[in-house]
Amino acid sequence: MTIQRMDNVGIIVDDLDAVIARMRAHGAELVGEVVRYGDTYRLCYLRGPEGIVVALAEELG
C-alpha cells in the first residue's frame, strides 16, 4: 500500500474574520493577506502551530 500525502485543504466558512481571530488565539498565523476573488469569495491561507496550511473561503452573497 502506498500512502500519499495530502497537498491542500480548503474550508468554506460563514465569517472569515471571526475564524481568523479564533485560530490566531490558538497560535495560527495568516499566510499573506485576505484577498477577494471577484464578487464571489474572500480567501486566505492560515498556517497552524504544527505548520499545516489551510485555505479558508467565505462566500459573498
Side-chain angles (χ1 to χ4, degrees):
M1 174 202 281
T2 301
I3 298 175
Q4 298 199 5
R5 186 180 86 125
M6 186 182 318
D7 291 325
N8 56 63
V9 173
I11 300 170
I12 295 176
V13 299
D14 291 328
D15 184 345
L16 186 60
D17 296 322
V19 173
I20 292 170
R22 193 166 55 239
M23 298 307 292
R24 280 183 166 164
H26 292 281
E29 60 185 45
L30 198 56
V31 177
E33 57 188 51
V34 176
V35 297
R36 192 175 176 116
Y37 182 75
D39 293 331
T40 311
Y41 291 100
R42 290 178 67 223
L43 308 164
C44 74
Y45 292 96
L46 284 179
R47 179 179 289 116
E50 299 295 324
I52 297 170
V53 176
V54 176
L56 299 177
E58 176 184 359
E59 192 170 8
L60 302 174

